[in-house]
Amino acid sequence: MNLEVKNDNFKLCLDALRENKVIAYPTEAVFGLGCNPESETAVMKLLALKHRLPEKGLILIADSFSQLEPYVALRELSVLQKERMFASWPGPVTWILPACPQTPRWLTGRFDSLAVRVTNHPLVKKLCSELGKPLVSTSANLSGREPCRNENEVYNQFGSKFPVLIGQTGGRINPSEIRDALTGNQIRPG
């Protein structure tokens, strides 16, 4: 019985993504807000929910690097830079890579780069796999509020009708570490 509810919940969230809606889902540390990165409409809905300026850019989270490859200019990284990045995945390390020229500005913001992560969270991996593409990933919280760590906190901030993929976070205390792939410099500790 419980498994059926979870499967229905998963399908509801997957359908919402396919309809270019925003959902919340558990990640390694907190719940994230996500949407179809190829839909400007969906991304603008997400940014409006967060009260986030489009020029700040966003993170894409994926099941595998092949889902991220169309968005980033991997050829601009040296062998060592690629090895360092791939050694951290799947896992809670987000890397900032040069973006491909065709990567939409609604993802990169004012930058010529894009933040990307290959997750090891099983629910997010399944969601990206079933969708066939990465998700936009930003912490699930209203401006000035703490990021949500469970579905009840998401409902409290976004309303009881908000589509939430029910599940546990990966148990990490801090959001993902962010590093610059070109320099190796840490932008945000994890």
Side-chain angles (χ1 to χ4, degrees):
M1 178 78 171
N2 196 14
L3 184 59
E4 289 176 26
V5 171
K6 287 184 179 182
N7 284 337
D8 287 348
N9 171 255
F10 184 87
K11 184 179 179 329
L12 176 103
C13 290
L14 187 60
D15 289 346
L17 289 169
R18 289 178 174 149
E19 295 165 7
N20 295 322
K21 295 178 181 174
V22 178
I23 70 162
Y25 57 91
T27 68
E28 291 88 349
V30 298
F31 269 69
L33 290 180
C35 66
N36 176 356
E38 296 170 7
S39 169
E40 183 176 11
T41 301
V43 173
M44 290 304 141
K45 286 179 194 172
L46 182 145
L47 293 172
L49 270 171
K50 286 275 296 184
H51 302 287
R52 183 182 173 99
L53 298 173
E55 54 267 13
K56 289 181 82 175
L58 292 162
I59 295 173
L60 293 187
I61 189 170
D63 172 43
S64 66
F65 183 74
S66 63
Q67 291 184 331
L68 300 168
E69 218 164 347
Y71 301 92
V72 295
L74 187 62
R75 69 189 175 285
E76 293 185 28
L77 272 63
S78 71
V79 171
L80 180 62
Q81 291 165 331
K82 291 177 202 173
E83 286 174 355
R84 184 173 44 215
M85 179 180 69
F86 289 128
S88 72
W89 287 341
V93 180
T94 298
W95 290 91
I96 299 172
L97 276 70
C100 289
Q102 68 271 19
T103 300
R105 283 285 166 201
W106 63 76
L107 297 176
T108 62
R110 69 178 184 272
F111 305 102
D112 292 324
S113 58
L114 183 65
V116 296
R117 179 166 84 249
V118 176
T119 184
N120 61 0
H121 193 288
L123 284 175
V124 183
K125 288 178 78 60
K126 183 176 179 189
L127 201 55
C128 292
S129 177
E130 295 278 333
L131 188 63
K133 61 182 78 173
L135 295 176
V136 168
S137 186
T138 184
S139 61
N141 61 293
L142 296 170
S143 185
R145 307 252 326 250
E146 286 295 312
C148 300
R149 293 196 180 263
N150 59 56
E151 61 265 12
N152 290 332
E153 291 179 10
V154 175
Y155 293 134
N156 286 338
Q157 288 193 41
F158 295 98
S160 62
K161 303 285 187 207
F162 197 83
V164 178
L165 182 60
I166 306 299
Q168 300 294 313
T169 64
R172 290 179 52 84
I173 302 293
N174 297 321
S176 68
E177 175 181 355
I178 299 178
R179 291 190 161 275
D180 185 309
L182 295 176
T183 65
N185 291 341
Q186 186 181 64
I187 309 297
R188 177 179 79 185

